[in-house]
Amino acid sequence: MTIQKVNESNAILWNEDDRGYLSSDESKTILNGHFEFYYDQDPSKNIGEFELLKSKGSFINGRAEGFWQHFHKNKIMSGRRFFKNGVGIEGYGAFYKQDGTLDTYDNQWKI
């Protein structure tokens, strides 16, 4: 399966049954597969070329699934989590400050 690369400005939107699709997709195609999201940096570059990775993981039927990684703009990991059917599995993950030190688990976010 190929990795779909997406700019940060192309946000994930959620439909009425809480399944994700990309904001640029007028047909609201439910997300499936492996994704990499990049910070918007230089619009003249191709996606993923000299750009900073923001997060990566997989969707199954519009919901986050499996292992996800997130990164600060300084390229240090900001978090890692495991998901099952779109819900983070409690106790399996960690958040990191921009200096790489462990952060609290209180500041959870939704994919």
Side-chain angles (χ1 to χ4, degrees):
M1 187 177 290
T2 61
I3 297 173
Q4 298 179 53
K5 297 181 178 186
V6 181
N7 278 339
E8 177 183 32
S9 58
N10 193 358
I12 298 173
L13 301 178
W14 307 96
N15 66 14
E16 57 280 345
D17 68 352
D18 207 29
R19 295 179 193 271
Y21 64 95
L22 295 176
S23 60
S24 64
D25 185 359
E26 293 179 16
S27 65
K28 298 184 179 180
T29 304
I30 299 301
L31 296 173
N32 274 301
H34 304 296
F35 285 81
E36 289 182 351
F37 294 88
Y38 289 84
Y39 288 106
D40 290 337
Q41 295 257 315
D42 183 350
S44 69
K45 303 284 185 200
N46 291 327
I47 184 84
E49 178 186 20
F50 307 116
E51 294 195 37
L52 298 174
L53 183 62
K54 182 177 183 181
S55 60
K56 63 182 179 177
S58 299
F59 286 95
I60 296 178
N61 203 16
R63 296 194 169 114
E65 190 72 28
F67 182 64
W68 276 78
Q69 292 176 294
H70 307 275
F71 300 88
H72 294 290
K73 285 187 175 182
N74 65 1
K75 300 182 182 180
I76 291 178
M77 186 180 294
S78 64
R80 57 187 178 169
R81 297 190 65 192
F82 287 89
F83 287 86
K84 182 168 176 73
N85 203 23
V87 177
I89 300 173
E90 217 171 300
Y92 289 92
F95 295 96
Y96 302 93
K97 298 177 186 176
Q98 288 192 6
D99 66 3
T101 59
L102 195 60
D103 200 350
T104 66
Y105 202 74
D106 297 337
N107 56 349
Q108 295 183 20
W109 64 81
K110 181 179 180 179
I111 299 290

